[in-house]
Amino acid sequence: MEKNKVNWGIISCAGIAESAVIPGILGADNAQLYAISSRGPEKLEKFKKLFNPVKAYQSYDELLDDPEVDAVYIPLPNGLHCEWTQKAAEKKKHVLCEKPMGISEEEARLMKEVCDKNGVLLMEAFAYRHSPLTKKVKELVDSGTIGKIKFMDSYFSFLLKDMNDVRVSRALAGGATYDIGCYNINIIRHIIGAEPVSIFATGEIGEESGVDESSCIVMEFEGGVKAVSYCSFRCMPRVEYTMVGDGGSISVPVVFNSKGETRLIVKTGSATEEITVLCPDNYMLEVEQFGRCILNGEKPYIAFEDSINNARVIDEALRQIFKK
């Protein structure tokens, strides 16, 4: 591609697009917000006034038919990720797909197959992985700051009161594990640097929603390393993760996509150190990295194999929770 900016199209005027990804595109040095689309005229008009895109379309297909769109961001409900990734790929658009990539390993593989067939890139949108904070934690663990890691836990919860929210829509593949538990599973696998050899999962299935409104997933890795993921739509807000080794511990008491001054706490022996890490906009970093992949041939930071392995853990956890 002989140009220095990627023309982005947004498939739907979702909340995450408004609050995070579109601002990330606007702040990125290799991106242009070219087109937005929505099936709701009121939302489309709102986004036009807020962000002033070059084009605005009343259907997703119209946006995909625009030859000037290089890449699309898909923030649709989970159950629509596979369908619209395939449609985008068939129109030769690169795809940044909101997590989880698909609602199963099988779906994720199909999405990648169609993208490969059409010569376009596909990356799962885990913006927090691009953060200097995440990279600092990984660096500290890998360098042996806390010795050999023995245990890790990660929590993500909040109170969801609106039962019309897509997060609790069974038809659209809602559920706490897909929505927020995927972060826990991803950070655990990333920091430990391995895949679990055994998984035990339990959860709370909503009587009204029919989806998992909480889940607790225990993972064991080679060498006896243990990890726990807990996520819930039915608890007071809590987002943090901790690693414990035979020489110390690291706690990260901040939300995954924190911006500005963030902190982590390292304990070794009787010493406690608080480390501050300055984080720019993770969504901007994500957009810029995917842009470099498109423009310069860089490899996607969230590799497809990483996404597949995350999906595999989720598949097994939900199989146990729903006793499929």
Side-chain angles (χ1 to χ4, degrees), residues 1 3-8 25 30-34 68 70-71 94 287 290-292 294-295:
M1 187 178 295
K3 60 180 185 177
N4 58 12
K5 288 198 175 185
V6 173
N7 280 343
W8 281 89
I25 290 171
N30 61 359
Q32 176 179 230
L33 177 63
Y34 178 79
E68 295 301 313
D70 302 314
H94 302 284
V287 167
F290 196 56
R292 292 195 301 272
I294 295 167
L295 297 168

Side-chain angles (χ1 to χ4, degrees), residues 249-264:
S249 66
I250 300 173
S251 297
V252 187
V254 296
V255 298
F256 280 97
N257 278 305
S258 292
K259 182 179 177 181
E261 283 195 359
T262 61
R263 66 191 181 99
L264 56 96

Side-chain angles (χ1 to χ4, degrees), residues 10 21 28 42 45 55 58 105-106 125 149 170 182 217 220 228-229 245 263 292 296 308:
I10 311 298
V21 177
E42 290 182 3
E45 195 60 33
K55 297 286 182 70
Q58 293 183 9
E105 178 185 353
E106 181 181 5
I149 191 168
R170 189 171 183 178
C182 65
I217 304 168
E220 182 169 7
V228 175
S229 157
R263 66 191 181 99
R292 292 195 301 272
N296 308 324
I308 281 293

